[in-house]
Amino acid sequence: MTQTASPPIAKPKRPRPQVMRLTDAAAARVNELTARADSEIVGLRVGVKNGGCAGQSYTVEYAHDVRPTDEVVEDKGVKILVDPKAVLFLLGTEMDYKVDRMSAQFVFKNPNQVSACGCGESVELKPAKVEG
């Protein structure tokens, strides 16, 4: 009798974690911004750039198209496109929108943030540790 080899058993794929999530206030603000933009936009692009007294800062800009390398986050009916170079720095981040007497701005609650400067404009981030 000949024994046939059984096919290899594939490991189940672990679901990819969502890079960011939004609060209700942030989603409402993104909706407002996309509704009143001067040109057609698909959402907001979020990233991290080098600079500032703590070393890095968050960037938020209109996204006119989805780039093939963008990490697309859809949450609460809005679309956020994350720059691929920023994914490991933003993994697990909650994006909020705060209004106070002197300012209105997006605020990032980021578990990868090590420190921030006194003015709040720049941060120091470490890449997220991904179990794998």
Side-chain angles (χ1 to χ4, degrees):
M1 214 151 129
T2 311
Q3 204 173 27
T4 59
S6 57
I9 299 172
K11 280 186 171 179
K13 283 194 173 189
R14 186 170 48 123
R16 272 183 87 174
Q18 184 167 317
V19 175
M20 295 177 62
R21 64 186 185 284
L22 284 80
T23 63
D24 291 336
R29 182 62 177 158
V30 171
N31 269 328
E32 288 174 26
L33 291 171
T34 55
R36 70 175 202 197
D38 293 340
S39 59
E40 182 71 28
I41 62 170
V42 296
L44 293 184
R45 181 168 282 110
V46 175
V48 175
K49 69 176 183 176
N50 291 332
C53 48
Q56 298 162 302
S57 60
Y58 297 105
T59 61
V60 179
E61 61 189 21
Y62 289 128
H64 298 282
D65 58 352
V66 179
R67 298 174 186 155
T69 56
D70 283 337
E71 182 75 30
V72 179
V73 174
E74 295 188 63
D75 191 15
K76 296 181 175 57
V78 298
K79 190 179 290 188
I80 300 294
L81 307 171
V82 180
D83 182 320
K85 293 177 284 205
V87 168
L88 280 179
F89 294 105
L90 296 176
L91 199 60
T93 297
E94 179 183 69
M95 184 174 164
D96 195 6
Y97 185 71
K98 298 278 185 191
V99 178
D100 63 27
R101 297 174 95 191
M102 300 299 283
S103 67
Q105 63 187 342
F106 286 108
V107 177
F108 297 88
K109 295 175 186 163
N110 187 339
N112 307 304
Q113 184 172 314
V114 177
S115 65
C117 67
C119 67
E121 291 296 316
S122 71
V123 293
E124 180 183 353
L125 303 171
K126 63 179 172 52
K129 294 198 186 301
V130 179
E131 304 282 325

